[in-house]
Amino acid sequence: MAAFILAVIVDGYKRGQESCLEANLIAVCLGHLEATQLCDPPPEPLFLQWLCLCLGKLWEDYLEAQIMGREANASEKLIPLLSEAQPEVVLRQKLS
């Protein structure tokens, strides 16, 4: 639920994006994504979906967040999700 709420906060709201970036949301989301790859049993697909959506909305139209995502090697940490068995867990935003 927290990932959903954060995704809503950063969705098209510049101040929300800025606040979440300052709070290191990229590292938090990526940390959860990395941890879930080691989990047994696998995490809830909906959790992974909201983490990805939250990241995408954070760096949508926000160059500073996109740069920080690149510096955090976000793409390398998100690539394993492309082979996820659940089709709803798909990275919808690209690092441009």
Side-chain angles (χ1 to χ4, degrees):
M1 186 58 99
F4 164 76
I5 292 168
L6 288 168
V8 171
I9 289 171
V10 298
D11 185 18
Y13 182 54
K14 187 69 168 182
R15 291 193 65 173
Q17 288 174 307
E18 292 168 347
S19 294
C20 288
L21 187 63
E22 288 174 19
N24 210 16
L25 183 61
I26 291 175
V28 171
C29 288
L30 292 176
H32 280 294
L33 287 172
E34 283 184 307
T36 60
Q37 293 171 9
L38 304 173
C39 286
D40 189 31
E44 272 298 312
L46 195 55
F47 178 57
L48 297 176
Q49 179 182 1
W50 282 114
L51 286 174
C52 291
L53 186 61
C54 187
L55 283 170
K57 289 298 181 177
L58 177 60
W59 57 54
E60 183 177 52
D61 299 323
Y62 189 18
L63 183 59
E64 186 178 346
Q66 293 170 10
I67 291 169
M68 290 182 75
R70 271 193 218 112
E71 289 173 351
N73 294 320
S75 58
E76 290 178 21
K77 296 169 185 172
L78 292 166
I79 286 173
L81 295 176
L82 295 174
S83 61
E84 177 67 35
Q86 299 291 326
E88 60 270 9
V89 181
V90 176
L91 178 63
R92 297 177 191 267
Q93 297 291 327
K94 63 178 181 175
L95 288 172
S96 47

